[in-house]
Amino acid sequence: NAGVTQTPKFQVLKTGQSMTLQCAQDMNHNSMYWYRQDPGMGLRLIYYSASEGTTDKGEVPNGYNVSRLNKREFSLRLESAAPSQTSVYFCASSEEMTGIYGYTFGSGTRLTVV
Amino acid sequence: AQTVTQSQPEMSVQEAETVTLSCTYDTSENNYYLFWYKQPPSRQMILVIRQEAYKQQNATENRFSVNFQKAAKSFSLKISDSQLGDTAMYFCAHLNNNDMRFGAGTRLTVKP
């Protein structure tokens, strides 16, 4: 009953470094999402994958890339990290492609870019 | 795109009392879904309750209920018999066409 698993839980990067945040779900969900959470701004959608093999931009995609590796895994890559990308990142999944029953979230990755 | 507004950054309530968290949203769509999520200090986002816009009946889940006013675009969360474990950030969210937008959140503290 792991649900949505994100790794790592914490990360510190230097400006310009790259890294990939990993996300995996074991619920056989079709859709997966990446959000970032900043103080006073709630959660904002970076990218989503409605189904295996598809990805689409969300509200704040600049500076990020994603890969839907298979049905279980959806990774988020920062090619050249910037201090503005300091945030808490959440991966989520939903059974229905429309997400109408709500999302299941991972426990988040706190990323600091110095 | 739809926007979600939570006008109360922080609230507090005494244990066993009732508290209502406010949420308004802006959308041009007629069919959509609304949610309340809880985020305790553990950071995990937990779904509390959902409402389908085409249903007039307000959703209820145990001590949690909503007051959905479609014409006013209002979706408040009522927590009855507040418990210490209800202390958390609460986020209102609006979903339409696979696009879920969140409010900025309300930090609720339940005092013993």
Side-chain angles (χ1 to χ4, degrees), chain B residues 20-112:
Chain B
T20 298
L21 309 183
S22 300
C23 174
T24 58
Y25 57 93
D26 184 24
T27 183
S28 58
E29 301 295 330
N30 193 46
N31 293 324
Y32 50 87
Y33 299 81
L34 297 164
F35 304 85
W36 278 97
Y37 282 88
K38 171 185 177 180
Q39 186 180 42
S42 67
R43 209 166 64 193
Q44 186 82 39
M45 294 282 285
I46 302 165
L47 178 63
V48 175
I49 200 165
R50 66 185 283 273
Q51 174 79 41
E52 301 165 4
Y54 60 86
K55 288 188 176 180
Q56 293 188 348
Q57 185 175 4
N58 290 324
T60 300
E61 290 287 342
N62 301 315
R63 297 183 295 107
F64 299 88
S65 61
V66 299
N67 183 6
F68 174 48
Q69 302 289 328
K70 191 172 184 179
K73 298 181 180 177
S74 171
F75 182 61
S76 60
L77 175 69
K78 185 171 83 171
I79 306 174
S80 303
D81 186 25
S82 297
Q83 301 175 359
L84 296 178
D86 294 334
T87 292
M89 283 287 290
Y90 286 83
F91 292 95
C92 177
H94 173 287
L95 172 69
N96 179 253
N97 290 332
N98 212 26
D99 184 4
M100 187 175 296
R101 298 292 175 112
F102 289 80
T106 296
R107 184 176 302 278
L108 176 68
T109 301
V110 180
K111 298 179 178 180

Side-chain angles (χ1 to χ4, degrees), chain A residues 33-47 58-61 64 84 86-90, chain B residues 99-103:
Chain A
Y33 313 83
W34 276 106
Y35 281 87
R36 60 178 288 172
Q37 182 181 20
D38 301 295
M41 300 187 73
L43 280 75
R44 292 181 293 168
L45 182 64
I46 304 171
Y47 271 94
E59 187 182 0
V60 289
Y64 305 95
S84 61
T86 292
S87 188
V88 179
Y89 291 85
F90 285 96
Chain B
D99 184 4
M100 187 175 296
R101 298 292 175 112
F102 289 80

Side-chain angles (χ1 to χ4, degrees), chain A residues 95-107:
Chain A
E95 182 177 6
E96 292 288 326
M97 290 173 61
T98 55
I100 63 173
Y101 297 107
Y103 298 171
T104 301
F105 284 84
S107 58

Side-chain angles (χ1 to χ4, degrees), chain A residues 65-81:
Chain A
N65 285 300
V66 291
S67 295
R68 183 75 183 267
L69 304 171
N70 48 56
K71 192 171 185 179
R72 290 185 62 248
E73 299 173 285
F74 187 39
S75 62
L76 177 71
R77 184 162 178 82
L78 287 70
E79 291 290 351
S80 179

